[in-house]
Coordinates of all heavy atoms in Angstrom, one line a residue:
M1 N -1.3 0.9 15.0 CA -0.5 0.6 13.9 C -0.3 -0.9 13.7 O -0.4 -1.4 12.6 CB 0.9 1.3 13.9 CG 1.5 1.3 12.6 SD 2.5 2.9 12.4 CE 4.0 2.3 12.3
G2 N -0.2 -1.7 14.7 CA -0.2 -3.1 14.6 C 1.1 -3.6 14.1 O 2.1 -3.0 14.0
Y3 N 1.2 -4.9 14.0 CA 2.3 -5.7 13.7 C 2.8 -5.4 12.3 O 4.0 -5.4 12.0 CB 2.2 -7.2 13.9 CG 2.0 -7.6 15.3 CD1 0.9 -8.1 15.8 CD2 3.1 -7.3 16.2 CE1 0.7 -8.3 17.1 CE2 2.9 -7.7 17.6 CZ 1.7 -8.2 18.0 OH 1.5 -8.6 19.3
L4 N 1.8 -5.1 11.4 CA 2.3 -5.0 10.0 C 2.5 -3.5 9.5 O 2.8 -3.3 8.4 CB 1.2 -5.6 9.1 CG 1.0 -7.0 9.3 CD1 -0.3 -7.6 8.5 CD2 2.2 -7.8 9.0
G5 N 2.4 -2.7 10.5 CA 2.6 -1.1 10.2 C 1.6 -0.7 9.1 O 2.0 0.0 8.2
N6 N 0.3 -1.0 9.3 CA -0.8 -0.5 8.4 C -0.7 -1.1 7.0 O -1.2 -0.6 6.0 CB -0.8 1.0 8.3 CG -1.3 1.7 9.5 OD1 -2.0 1.1 10.4 ND2 -1.0 2.9 9.7
N7 N 0.0 -2.2 6.8 CA 0.1 -2.8 5.4 C -0.7 -4.2 5.4 O -0.4 -5.0 4.6 CB 1.6 -3.2 5.2 CG 2.4 -1.9 5.0 OD1 2.0 -1.1 4.2 ND2 3.6 -1.8 5.6
L8 N -1.7 -4.2 6.2 CA -2.5 -5.4 6.1 C -3.2 -5.7 4.8 O -3.3 -6.8 4.3 CB -3.7 -5.4 7.3 CG -4.5 -6.6 7.4 CD1 -3.6 -7.8 7.8 CD2 -5.6 -6.4 8.5
A9 N -3.7 -4.6 4.2 CA -4.3 -4.8 2.8 C -3.3 -5.2 1.8 O -3.6 -6.1 1.0 CB -4.9 -3.4 2.4
T10 N -2.1 -4.7 1.9 CA -1.0 -5.2 1.0 C -0.7 -6.6 1.2 O -0.5 -7.4 0.3 CB 0.2 -4.2 1.2 OG1 -0.2 -3.0 1.1 CG2 1.3 -4.6 0.1
V11 N -0.6 -7.0 2.5 CA -0.2 -8.4 2.8 C -1.2 -9.4 2.3 O -1.0 -10.4 1.7 CB 0.2 -8.5 4.2 CG1 0.3 -10.1 4.6 CG2 1.4 -7.8 4.6
V12 N -2.6 -9.0 2.7 CA -3.6 -10.0 2.3 C -3.7 -10.1 0.7 O -3.9 -11.1 0.2 CB -4.9 -9.4 2.9 CG1 -6.1 -10.2 2.4 CG2 -4.9 -9.7 4.4
S13 N -3.6 -9.0 0.1 CA -3.7 -9.0 -1.4 C -2.5 -9.7 -2.0 O -2.7 -10.4 -3.0 CB -3.7 -7.5 -2.0 OG -4.8 -6.8 -1.5
G14 N -1.4 -9.6 -1.4 CA -0.2 -10.3 -1.9 C -0.3 -11.8 -1.7 O 0.1 -12.6 -2.6
V15 N -0.8 -12.2 -0.6 CA -1.0 -13.6 -0.4 C -2.0 -14.2 -1.3 O -1.9 -15.3 -1.9 CB -1.5 -13.9 1.1 CG1 -1.9 -15.4 1.3 CG2 -0.3 -13.7 2.1
F16 N -3.1 -13.4 -1.6 CA -4.1 -13.9 -2.5 C -3.5 -13.9 -3.9 O -3.7 -14.8 -4.8 CB -5.3 -13.0 -2.5 CG -6.5 -13.4 -3.3 CD1 -7.1 -14.7 -3.0 CD2 -6.9 -12.7 -4.4 CE1 -8.1 -15.2 -4.0 CE2 -7.9 -13.1 -5.2 CZ -8.5 -14.4 -5.1
A17 N -2.7 -13.0 -4.3 CA -2.1 -12.9 -5.6 C -1.1 -14.1 -5.8 O -1.0 -14.7 -6.8 CB -1.3 -11.7 -5.9
A18 N -0.3 -14.4 -4.8 CA 0.6 -15.5 -4.8 C -0.2 -16.8 -5.0 O 0.2 -17.7 -5.7 CB 1.5 -15.5 -3.5
V19 N -1.3 -17.0 -4.2 CA -2.0 -18.2 -4.4 C -2.6 -18.3 -5.7 O -2.6 -19.5 -6.3 CB -3.1 -18.2 -3.2 CG1 -4.2 -19.4 -3.5 CG2 -2.5 -18.5 -1.9
L20 N -3.2 -17.3 -6.3 CA -3.7 -17.3 -7.6 C -2.6 -17.6 -8.7 O -2.8 -18.4 -9.6 CB -4.3 -15.9 -8.0 CG -5.7 -15.7 -7.7 CD1 -6.2 -14.2 -8.1 CD2 -6.7 -16.6 -8.2
T21 N -1.4 -17.1 -8.5 CA -0.3 -17.4 -9.4 C 0.0 -18.9 -9.3 O 0.3 -19.5 -10.4 CB 0.9 -16.6 -9.0 OG1 0.5 -15.2 -9.1 CG2 2.1 -16.9 -10.0
A22 N 0.2 -19.4 -8.1 CA 0.4 -20.9 -7.9 C -0.7 -21.7 -8.5 O -0.5 -22.8 -9.3 CB 0.5 -21.2 -6.4
L23 N -1.9 -21.3 -8.3 CA -3.0 -22.2 -8.9 C -3.0 -22.0 -10.4 O -3.4 -23.0 -11.0 CB -4.3 -21.6 -8.3 CG -4.6 -22.0 -6.9 CD1 -6.0 -21.3 -6.4 CD2 -4.7 -23.5 -6.8
W24 N -2.6 -20.9 -10.9 CA -2.5 -20.8 -12.4 C -1.5 -22.0 -13.0 O -1.9 -22.6 -14.0 CB -1.9 -19.5 -12.8 CG -2.0 -19.2 -14.2 CD1 -2.7 -19.8 -15.2 CD2 -1.6 -17.9 -14.8 NE1 -2.5 -19.1 -16.4 CE2 -1.9 -18.0 -16.2 CE3 -0.9 -16.8 -14.3 CZ2 -1.5 -16.9 -17.1 CZ3 -0.6 -15.8 -15.2 CH2 -0.8 -15.9 -16.5
F25 N -0.5 -22.2 -12.4 CA 0.4 -23.1 -12.8 C 0.0 -24.6 -12.6 O 0.4 -25.5 -13.3 CB 1.9 -22.9 -12.3 CG 2.5 -21.7 -12.9 CD1 2.7 -20.6 -12.0 CD2 2.9 -21.7 -14.2 CE1 3.4 -19.4 -12.5 CE2 3.5 -20.5 -14.7 CZ 3.7 -19.4 -13.8
I26 N -0.8 -24.7 -11.6 CA -1.3 -26.1 -11.2 C -2.5 -26.4 -12.0 O -2.7 -27.6 -12.4 CB -1.6 -26.1 -9.7 CG1 -0.3 -26.0 -8.9 CG2 -2.3 -27.4 -9.3 CD1 -0.5 -25.7 -7.4
L27 N -3.5 -25.5 -12.2 CA -4.8 -25.9 -12.8 C -4.9 -25.7 -14.3 O -5.8 -26.4 -14.9 CB -5.9 -25.0 -12.1 CG -6.2 -25.3 -10.6 CD1 -7.2 -24.4 -10.1 CD2 -6.6 -26.8 -10.5
V28 N -4.0 -24.9 -14.9 CA -4.2 -24.7 -16.3 C -3.9 -26.0 -17.1 O -4.6 -26.2 -18.1 CB -3.5 -23.5 -16.9 CG1 -3.4 -23.3 -18.2 CG2 -4.2 -22.2 -16.1
P29 N -2.8 -26.6 -16.8 CA -2.5 -27.8 -17.7 C -3.7 -28.9 -17.8 O -3.9 -29.3 -18.8 CB -1.3 -28.4 -17.1 CG -0.6 -27.3 -16.5 CD -1.7 -26.4 -15.9
P30 N -4.3 -29.2 -16.6 CA -5.4 -30.1 -16.8 C -6.7 -29.5 -17.3 O -7.5 -30.2 -17.9 CB -5.6 -30.7 -15.4 CG -4.9 -29.8 -14.5 CD -3.9 -29.0 -15.2
F31 N -6.9 -28.2 -17.0 CA -8.1 -27.5 -17.5 C -7.7 -26.2 -18.2 O -7.8 -25.1 -17.8 CB -9.0 -27.1 -16.3 CG -9.2 -28.3 -15.3 CD1 -8.6 -28.4 -14.1 CD2 -10.1 -29.3 -15.6 CE1 -8.8 -29.4 -13.3 CE2 -10.5 -30.2 -14.9 CZ -9.9 -30.3 -13.6
P32 N -7.5 -26.4 -19.6 CA -7.1 -25.2 -20.4 C -8.0 -24.1 -20.4 O -7.7 -22.9 -20.8 CB -6.7 -25.8 -21.7 CG -6.7 -27.3 -21.6 CD -7.4 -27.6 -20.3
V33 N -9.3 -24.4 -20.2 CA -10.4 -23.4 -20.3 C -10.1 -22.4 -19.2 O -10.6 -21.2 -19.4 CB -11.8 -24.0 -20.3 CG1 -12.1 -24.5 -18.8 CG2 -12.8 -23.0 -20.7
L34 N -9.5 -22.7 -18.3 CA -9.2 -21.7 -17.0 C -8.1 -20.7 -17.3 O -7.9 -19.7 -16.6 CB -8.9 -22.4 -15.8 CG -10.0 -23.3 -15.2 CD1 -9.4 -24.0 -13.8 CD2 -11.2 -22.3 -14.7
N35 N -7.4 -20.9 -18.5 CA -6.2 -20.0 -18.8 C -6.7 -18.6 -19.0 O -6.0 -17.7 -18.5 CB -5.6 -20.5 -20.0 CG -4.2 -19.8 -20.3 OD1 -3.5 -19.5 -19.3 ND2 -3.9 -19.7 -21.5
F36 N -7.8 -18.4 -19.6 CA -8.3 -17.0 -19.8 C -8.7 -16.3 -18.5 O -8.4 -15.2 -18.2 CB -9.6 -16.9 -20.7 CG -10.1 -15.5 -20.9 CD1 -9.4 -14.6 -21.7 CD2 -11.3 -15.2 -20.3 CE1 -9.9 -13.4 -21.9 CE2 -11.7 -13.9 -20.5 CZ -11.0 -12.9 -21.3
L37 N -9.2 -17.2 -17.5 CA -9.7 -16.5 -16.2 C -8.4 -16.1 -15.5 O -8.3 -15.1 -14.9 CB -10.4 -17.6 -15.4 CG -10.7 -17.2 -14.0 CD1 -11.9 -16.3 -14.0 CD2 -11.0 -18.5 -13.2
F38 N -7.4 -17.0 -15.4 CA -6.1 -16.7 -14.8 C -5.3 -15.6 -15.4 O -4.7 -14.7 -14.8 CB -5.3 -17.8 -14.5 CG -5.8 -18.9 -13.4 CD1 -6.3 -20.0 -13.7 CD2 -5.6 -18.4 -12.1 CE1 -6.9 -20.9 -12.7 CE2 -6.1 -19.3 -11.1 CZ -6.6 -20.5 -11.4
L39 N -5.4 -15.5 -16.8 CA -4.7 -14.5 -17.5 C -5.3 -13.1 -17.1 O -4.6 -12.1 -17.2 CB -5.0 -14.8 -19.1 CG -4.0 -13.9 -20.0 CD1 -2.6 -14.3 -19.7 CD2 -4.3 -14.3 -21.3
M40 N -6.6 -13.1 -16.8 CA -7.2 -11.8 -16.3 C -7.0 -11.6 -14.8 O -6.6 -10.4 -14.4 CB -8.6 -11.8 -16.6 CG -9.1 -11.8 -18.1 SD -8.8 -10.2 -18.8 CE -7.6 -10.5 -20.0
A41 N -7.1 -12.5 -14.1 CA -7.1 -12.3 -12.6 C -5.7 -12.0 -12.0 O -5.6 -11.2 -11.1 CB -7.7 -13.6 -11.9
V42 N -4.8 -12.8 -12.5 CA -3.4 -12.7 -11.8 C -2.8 -11.3 -12.1 O -2.4 -10.7 -11.1 CB -2.5 -13.8 -12.3 CG1 -1.1 -13.6 -11.8 CG2 -3.0 -15.1 -11.8
P43 N -2.7 -10.7 -13.3 CA -2.0 -9.5 -13.4 C -2.8 -8.4 -12.7 O -2.2 -7.5 -12.1 CB -2.0 -9.2 -15.0 CG -2.1 -10.6 -15.6 CD -2.9 -11.4 -14.6
I44 N -4.1 -8.4 -12.8 CA -4.9 -7.5 -12.0 C -4.7 -7.5 -10.5 O -4.6 -6.5 -9.9 CB -6.5 -7.7 -12.4 CG1 -6.8 -7.3 -13.8 CG2 -7.4 -6.9 -11.4 CD1 -8.1 -7.8 -14.3
M45 N -4.6 -8.7 -10.0 CA -4.4 -8.8 -8.6 C -2.9 -8.3 -8.1 O -2.8 -7.7 -7.1 CB -4.5 -10.3 -8.1 CG -4.7 -10.4 -6.7 SD -6.2 -9.6 -6.2 CE -5.7 -9.0 -4.6
W46 N -1.9 -8.6 -9.0 CA -0.6 -8.1 -8.7 C -0.6 -6.5 -8.9 O 0.1 -5.8 -8.1 CB 0.4 -8.7 -9.6 CG 0.8 -10.1 -9.1 CD1 0.6 -11.3 -9.7 CD2 1.5 -10.4 -7.8 NE1 1.1 -12.3 -8.9 CE2 1.6 -11.8 -7.8 CE3 1.9 -9.7 -6.7 CZ2 2.1 -12.5 -6.7 CZ3 2.5 -10.2 -5.7 CH2 2.7 -11.7 -5.6
F47 N -1.3 -6.0 -9.8 CA -1.5 -4.4 -9.9 C -2.1 -3.9 -8.6 O -1.6 -2.9 -8.1 CB -2.3 -4.1 -11.0 CG -2.6 -2.7 -11.3 CD1 -1.5 -1.9 -11.7 CD2 -3.7 -2.2 -10.9 CE1 -1.8 -0.5 -11.7 CE2 -4.1 -0.8 -10.9 CZ -3.0 0.0 -11.5
L48 N -3.1 -4.6 -8.1 CA -3.7 -4.1 -6.8 C -2.7 -4.2 -5.7 O -2.8 -3.3 -4.8 CB -5.0 -5.0 -6.6 CG -6.3 -4.7 -7.5 CD1 -7.4 -5.6 -7.0 CD2 -6.7 -3.3 -7.3
V49 N -1.9 -5.2 -5.7 CA -0.9 -5.3 -4.6 C 0.0 -4.1 -4.7 O 0.3 -3.5 -3.7 CB -0.2 -6.6 -4.6 CG1 1.1 -6.6 -3.8 CG2 -1.1 -7.8 -4.4
F50 N 0.4 -3.8 -5.9 CA 1.3 -2.7 -6.2 C 0.7 -1.4 -5.7 O 1.3 -0.5 -5.1 CB 1.9 -2.6 -7.6 CG 2.7 -1.4 -7.9 CD1 4.0 -1.3 -7.4 CD2 2.0 -0.4 -8.7 CE1 4.6 -0.1 -7.7 CE2 2.8 0.8 -8.9 CZ 4.1 0.9 -8.4
M51 N -0.5 -1.3 -6.0 CA -1.3 0.0 -5.7 C -1.5 0.1 -4.2 O -1.2 1.2 -3.6 CB -2.6 0.1 -6.4 CG -2.5 0.2 -7.9 SD -1.5 1.6 -8.4 CE -2.4 3.0 -7.8
C52 N -1.7 -1.0 -3.5 CA -1.9 -0.9 -2.1 C -0.5 -0.5 -1.4 O -0.5 0.2 -0.6 CB -2.4 -2.2 -1.5 SG -4.1 -2.8 -1.8
W53 N 0.4 -1.1 -2.0 CA 1.8 -0.8 -1.4 C 2.2 0.6 -1.6 O 2.7 1.4 -0.7 CB 2.9 -1.7 -2.0 CG 4.3 -1.4 -1.6 CD1 4.8 -1.8 -0.4 CD2 5.3 -0.8 -2.3 NE1 6.1 -1.4 -0.3 CE2 6.4 -0.8 -1.4 CE3 5.4 -0.2 -3.5 CZ2 7.6 -0.2 -1.9 CZ3 6.5 0.4 -4.0 CH2 7.7 0.3 -3.2
I54 N 2.0 1.1 -2.8 CA 2.4 2.5 -3.1 C 1.6 3.6 -2.5 O 2.1 4.5 -2.0 CB 2.5 2.8 -4.7 CG1 3.5 3.9 -5.0 CG2 1.2 3.0 -5.3 CD1 4.9 3.6 -4.8
V55 N 0.3 3.3 -2.3 CA -0.6 4.3 -1.6 C -0.2 4.2 -0.1 O -0.2 5.3 0.5 CB -2.0 3.8 -1.8 CG1 -3.0 4.6 -0.9 CG2 -2.4 4.2 -3.2
Q56 N 0.2 3.1 0.5 CA 0.5 3.1 2.0 C 1.9 3.8 2.1 O 2.0 4.4 3.1 CB 0.5 1.7 2.4 CG 0.7 1.6 3.9 CD -0.3 2.3 4.7 OE1 -1.5 1.9 4.5 NE2 0.1 3.1 5.7
K57 N 2.7 3.7 1.1 CA 4.0 4.4 1.3 C 3.8 5.8 1.3 O 4.4 6.6 2.1 CB 5.0 4.1 0.1 CG 5.6 2.8 0.2 CD 6.7 2.8 1.3 CE 7.5 1.6 1.4 NZ 8.4 1.5 2.4
G58 N 2.8 6.3 0.4 CA 2.5 7.7 0.2 C 1.8 8.3 1.5 O 2.2 9.4 2.0
S59 N 1.0 7.5 2.1 CA 0.3 7.9 3.2 C 1.3 7.9 4.4 O 1.2 8.9 5.3 CB -0.8 6.7 3.6 OG -1.5 7.1 4.8
D60 N 2.2 6.9 4.6 CA 3.1 7.0 5.6 C 4.0 8.2 5.5 O 4.4 8.9 6.5 CB 4.0 5.8 5.7 CG 3.2 4.5 6.0 OD1 2.2 4.6 6.6 OD2 3.6 3.4 5.8
Y61 N 4.4 8.5 4.2 CA 5.3 9.7 4.1 C 4.7 10.9 4.4 O 5.2 11.8 5.1 CB 5.8 9.7 2.5 CG 6.7 10.9 2.2 CD1 8.1 10.9 2.5 CD2 6.1 12.1 1.7 CE1 8.8 11.9 2.2 CE2 6.9 13.1 1.3 CZ 8.3 13.0 1.6 OH 9.0 14.0 1.3
S62 N 3.4 11.1 4.0 CA 2.6 12.4 4.2 C 2.5 12.5 5.7 O 2.4 13.6 6.3 CB 1.5 12.6 3.4 OG 0.5 11.5 3.8
S63 N 2.0 11.5 6.3 CA 1.6 11.5 7.8 C 2.9 11.8 8.6 O 2.9 12.5 9.6 CB 0.9 10.4 8.3 OG 1.7 9.2 8.2
K64 N 4.0 11.2 8.2 CA 5.3 11.4 9.0 C 5.8 12.8 8.8 O 6.2 13.5 9.8 CB 6.4 10.5 8.4 CG 7.7 10.6 9.1 CD 8.6 9.6 8.6 CE 9.3 10.0 7.3 NZ 10.4 9.2 6.8
H65 N 5.6 13.5 7.7 CA 6.2 14.8 7.4 C 5.2 15.9 7.9 O 5.6 17.1 8.1 CB 6.5 15.0 6.0 CG 7.8 14.3 5.7 ND1 9.1 14.6 6.2 CD2 8.0 13.1 4.9 CE1 10.0 13.8 5.7 NE2 9.3 12.8 5.0
S66 N 3.8 15.6 8.0 CA 2.8 16.6 8.3 C 2.8 16.7 9.8 O 2.3 17.7 10.4 CB 1.6 16.4 7.7 OG 1.0 15.3 8.1
A67 N 3.1 15.6 10.5 CA 2.8 15.6 12.0 C 3.8 16.6 12.7 O 3.5 17.1 13.7 CB 3.0 14.2 12.6
G68 N 5.0 16.8 12.1 CA 6.0 17.6 12.8 C 5.8 19.1 12.5 O 6.5 19.9 13.1
Y69 N 4.9 19.4 11.6 CA 4.8 20.8 11.2 C 3.8 21.5 12.2 O 2.6 21.2 12.2 CB 4.2 20.9 9.8 CG 4.0 22.4 9.4 CD1 4.9 23.1 9.0 CD2 2.7 22.9 9.2 CE1 4.8 24.5 8.6 CE2 2.4 24.1 8.8 CZ 3.5 24.9 8.6 OH 3.3 26.3 8.1
T70 N 4.3 22.4 13.0 CA 3.5 23.3 13.7 C 4.1 24.7 13.7 O 5.3 24.9 13.8 CB 3.6 22.8 15.3 OG1 4.9 22.7 15.7 CG2 2.8 21.4 15.5
E71 N 3.3 25.6 13.5 CA 3.7 26.9 13.3 C 3.7 27.6 14.7 O 2.6 27.6 15.3 CB 2.7 27.7 12.3 CG 3.1 29.1 11.9 CD 2.3 29.7 11.0 OE1 1.8 29.0 10.1 OE2 2.1 30.9 11.1
K72 N 4.8 28.2 15.0 CA 4.8 28.7 16.4 C 4.4 30.3 16.3 O 4.7 30.9 15.2 CB 6.3 28.7 16.8 CG 6.8 27.4 17.3 CD 8.1 27.4 18.1 CE 8.4 26.1 18.6 NZ 9.6 26.1 19.4
K73 N 3.7 30.6 17.2 CA 3.2 32.1 17.2 C 4.3 32.9 18.0 O 4.7 32.5 19.2 CB 1.8 32.0 18.0 CG 1.0 33.3 17.7 CD -0.3 33.1 18.4 CE -1.4 33.8 17.7 NZ -2.7 33.7 18.5
Q74 N 4.5 34.0 17.5 CA 5.4 34.9 18.2 C 4.7 35.7 19.2 O 3.6 36.4 18.8 CB 6.1 35.9 17.2 CG 7.0 35.2 16.2 CD 7.9 36.2 15.3 OE1 7.4 37.4 15.3 NE2 8.8 35.7 14.7
T75 N 5.3 35.7 20.4 CA 4.6 36.5 21.5 C 5.6 37.4 22.1 O 6.8 37.1 22.2 CB 4.0 35.5 22.5 OG1 5.0 34.7 23.0 CG2 2.9 34.7 22.2
Y76 N 5.1 38.6 22.5 CA 6.0 39.7 23.0 C 5.5 40.0 24.4 O 4.4 39.9 24.7 CB 6.0 40.9 22.2 CG 6.5 40.7 20.7 CD1 5.7 40.4 19.6 CD2 7.8 40.9 20.5 CE1 6.2 40.3 18.4 CE2 8.3 40.7 19.3 CZ 7.6 40.4 18.2 OH 8.2 40.2 16.9
T77 N 6.5 40.4 25.2 CA 6.2 40.8 26.6 C 5.7 42.3 26.6 O 5.8 42.9 25.5 CB 7.5 40.6 27.4 OG1 8.4 41.3 26.9 CG2 7.8 39.2 27.6
S78 N 5.4 42.7 27.7 CA 5.0 44.1 27.8 C 6.1 45.2 27.5 O 5.9 46.2 27.1 CB 4.3 44.5 29.2 OG 5.2 44.3 30.1
E79 N 7.4 44.7 27.7 CA 8.5 45.4 27.4 C 8.9 45.4 25.8 O 9.8 46.1 25.4 CB 9.8 45.1 28.2 CG 9.7 45.3 29.6 CD 9.1 44.0 30.4 OE1 9.4 43.0 30.0 OE2 8.5 44.3 31.4
G80 N 8.2 44.6 25.1 CA 8.6 44.5 23.7 C 9.5 43.4 23.4 O 10.1 43.4 22.3
K81 N 9.9 42.6 24.3 CA 10.8 41.5 24.0 C 10.1 40.3 23.5 O 9.0 40.0 24.0 CB 11.6 41.2 25.3 CG 12.5 42.2 25.8 CD 13.2 41.8 27.1 CE 14.0 43.0 27.6 NZ 14.7 42.7 28.8
L82 N 10.9 39.6 22.6 CA 10.3 38.3 22.1 C 10.5 37.2 23.1 O 11.5 37.0 23.7 CB 11.0 38.0 20.8 CG 10.5 36.9 20.0 CD1 9.2 37.1 19.5 CD2 11.4 36.7 18.8
V83 N 9.5 36.5 23.2 CA 9.4 35.3 24.2 C 9.9 34.1 23.5 O 9.6 33.8 22.5 CB 8.1 35.0 24.8 CG1 8.1 33.8 25.7 CG2 7.6 36.3 25.7

């Protein structure tokens, strides 16, 4: 599971999205032609961060609740008593 609890993709995507967001505010004033590039890249990257996070939450929830499910088999002794 690691230190991040299987959230490595979310963390890496989040760091990249934060760097893109910071670069948007730094690079667009001197180079206005980059505005369209950042206008497309930054919201898409934050959407991917959200999707990574929500999918990992769902995976953690389903694996937590499915691991405890075991169906017990009823067994009887030769006298007909339930074990």
Side-chain angles (χ1 to χ4, degrees):
M1 195 141 116
Y3 293 112
L4 300 175
N6 289 336
N7 287 316
L8 184 62
T10 306
V11 171
V12 170
S13 301
V15 168
F16 185 63
V19 168
L20 276 178
T21 304
L23 286 175
W24 190 4
F25 292 110
I26 294 170
L27 292 178
V28 168
F31 306 106
V33 72
L34 293 176
N35 192 31
F36 180 73
L37 177 76
F38 283 108
L39 193 61
M40 292 287 118
V42 171
I44 291 170
M45 199 62 219
W46 281 114
F47 175 75
L48 287 175
V49 170
F50 173 72
M51 290 306 295
C52 285
W53 178 75
I54 202 74
V55 166
Q56 187 60 49
K57 284 288 191 187
S59 176
D60 291 343
Y61 178 82
S62 66
S63 64
K64 180 176 74 171
H65 289 289
S66 66
Y69 177 72
T70 55
E71 187 175 322
K72 289 191 174 183
K73 198 178 208 182
Q74 290 184 351
T75 52
Y76 293 92
T77 60
S78 59
E79 291 94 27
K81 295 181 182 178
L82 186 63
V83 176

